[in-house]
Amino acid sequence: MTEPAARERSASAGELPLGGAGALVSFDEFAAGASIITAQADDRAADRTASTPRWGRAAVVGALLVAALLIMIVISAGSGQLHVPPAEVVGAITSKLGLDWFPVPTHAQGESALFTIRFPRIVMAMLVGAALATAGALMQGVFGNPLAEPGVVGVSSGAALAASSVIVFGITFAGNWTVAVMAFAGGLITSLVVFALARSRGRSEVVTLILTGVAINAFCGAGLAFLTFLGDTQAREQIVFWQLGSLNGTRWQYVAVVAPLVLIGFIASLAMARRLDLLSLGDRVARHLGVNVERLRLLAIVVVALMTGAAVAFCGIISFVGLVVPHIIRMAVGPNHRTLIPLSAVGGALLLVSADLVARTAIPFADLPIGMLTSLVGGPFFFWLLRRTRSRAGGWA
């Protein structure tokens, strides 16, 4: 049989030529073989990608971040209207551990100011920064988009809408905790609504998720504007101030609520790290390698909503931390999520502790909104990121 004749016969019989005119296999067998070969190649590629994080560089970067964070904690705790020298700040901490290695605060109100005002605020800044940065790393990993951040799925706008409802209508079912409870619930519910609306036939696409988030954010923005219109002058001021974000008035009771939620979200994020690495190879490859992509996306969005909701509940909206920090860490240690997530958490904590120090001390006897400061840093960085990507890759498309 000649080769043209064999091709004509194979086409009519639904078979493909393989290795010559006489070696014919069925189309199904060919497809199955190709899938196995593709899966094996993808598996090897995934193993190469996921098993070669830059551990040495990550260790160095991690050590530097931790050292900078510890130094910033001491400086921040000692700065303010009542100055406490760094040695006395360390002495106040070690004295609680039964160690007399450093002098304790000499001012009569020094130790009280540290443990009732400044340390709760610093710990909250660390928790919020770590939560937002970790959530940003998760969002960018799940969406495969460097512009993704927790606000994409409507967490911040939903929390703001719920908190504004409490302020305007005077809802007080949980006393002083009502705004925080409603903000957390609003952020979580909005995220789940975005995910539910974006799903079709049991599957969700990244573009659909992002566009659904944009629509929900616009809807929540309109609701927020309507509530601002309804509220009186005092309510409007509260709404605006809440949206600017602030750590002023943080107490240990608030820290005790936020800390376990952030810890649970952080542990869950680490548990998803390897699957996020596989997802970075593409949905199809990830499914070949055994990743349930839909379940991973849902779990990631729930974790992001949990951490972000806990962060904004007591502090208001703090923008750009989830966008800026993962990018800086990724440039330093690479995209492997097993190093990206924990280092982003430390980097976020460092950024917010530093921003809070500036917020407390930039203007005497005034407390600047911390969300405003992070936006001042994040806005120029976002613009630089756009320019850098455009110059190196020719744009986002």
Side-chain angles (χ1 to χ4, degrees):
M1 183 184 298
T2 62
E3 185 174 347
R7 287 177 179 171
E8 183 179 356
R9 175 182 173 183
S10 63
S12 61
E15 298 172 338
L16 294 174
L18 183 63
L24 300 178
V25 296
S26 68
F27 178 80
D28 292 337
E29 292 171 340
F30 175 83
S35 298
I36 293 173
I37 294 172
T38 303
Q40 291 173 342
D42 292 339
D43 200 359
R44 290 193 295 270
D47 286 340
R48 285 196 300 270
T49 302
S51 62
T52 55
R54 304 172 185 175
W55 292 113
R57 181 179 295 182
V60 173
V61 173
L64 292 176
L65 286 175
V66 171
L69 178 60
L70 293 176
I71 293 172
M72 190 53 64
I73 289 173
V74 173
I75 295 174
S76 180
S79 302
Q81 297 181 23
L82 175 62
H83 176 69
V84 180
E88 295 183 2
V89 173
V90 178
I93 298 174
T94 55
S95 65
K96 295 295 182 182
L97 303 175
L99 304 174
D100 298 328
W101 294 348
F102 296 92
V104 296
T106 54
H107 194 280
Q109 301 297 325
E111 190 164 327
S112 175
L114 288 176
F115 284 98
T116 59
I117 300 175
R118 294 181 185 171
F119 281 147
R121 184 164 176 157
I122 291 172
V123 175
M124 180 64 88
M126 293 170 58
L127 290 172
V128 172
L132 294 177
T134 303
L138 274 184
M139 291 296 293
Q140 291 166 14
V142 168
F143 284 90
N145 191 317
L147 299 181
E149 62 156 351
V152 169
V153 292
V155 182
S156 300
S157 59
L161 183 63
S164 300
S165 301
V166 173
I167 294 172
V168 172
F169 298 117
I171 303 172
T172 58
F173 66 90
N176 295 330
W177 298 67
T178 306
V179 172
V181 171
M182 287 293 289
F184 177 78
L188 185 62
I189 292 173
T190 306
S191 303
L192 295 178
V193 168
V194 168
F195 186 79
L197 292 177
R199 282 173 63 86
S200 177
R201 299 176 181 176
R203 301 183 67 174
S204 61
E205 297 177 347
V206 171
V207 175
T208 308
L209 271 171
I210 293 176
L211 293 178
T212 305
V214 170
I216 294 296
N217 279 325
F219 178 80
C220 291
L224 191 60
F226 182 66
L227 290 174
T228 306
F229 174 77
L230 288 180
D232 54 19
T233 303
Q234 183 179 1
R236 291 173 187 169
E237 291 179 353
Q238 290 181 17
I239 291 173
V240 171
F241 191 77
W242 191 88
Q243 292 184 80
L244 293 175
S246 176
L247 294 169
N248 191 22
T250 300
R251 294 180 290 174
W252 285 118
Q253 292 91 330
Y254 301 166
V255 175
V257 173
V258 174
L261 298 176
V262 174
L263 181 61
I264 292 172
F266 180 72
I267 293 173
S269 301
L270 288 179
M272 289 187 284
R274 181 168 176 79
R275 284 176 288 170
L276 289 174
D277 288 336
L278 298 178
L279 186 62
S280 66
L281 300 172
D283 288 10
R284 187 178 64 85
V285 176
R287 289 192 180 95
H288 277 310
L289 298 175
V291 177
N292 189 326
V293 175
E294 293 304 314
R295 184 182 301 171
L296 177 61
R297 284 208 176 104
L298 176 60
L299 179 60
I301 289 177
V302 170
V303 171
V304 167
L306 179 72
M307 289 193 293
T308 310
V312 304
F314 291 99
C315 307
I317 297 176
I318 300 175
S319 304
F320 281 108
V321 176
L323 175 65
V324 172
V325 174
H327 274 294
I328 297 175
I329 300 299
R330 191 179 291 108
M331 286 189 292
V333 302
N336 191 292
H337 287 84
R338 284 174 289 174
T339 54
L340 177 64
I341 289 175
L343 292 182
S344 293
V346 180
L350 174 61
L351 174 63
L352 218 58
V353 170
S354 304
D356 183 55
L357 173 62
V358 176
R360 288 193 294 111
T361 58
I363 299 178
F365 307 104
D367 202 324
L368 295 176
I370 193 170
M372 180 191 69
L373 293 175
T374 56
S375 297
L376 283 176
V377 176
F381 180 83
F382 187 73
F383 178 72
W384 172 80
L385 178 66
L386 289 173
R387 299 288 299 178
R388 177 176 178 269
T389 303
R390 187 177 179 82
S391 61
R392 290 191 175 185
W396 300 103

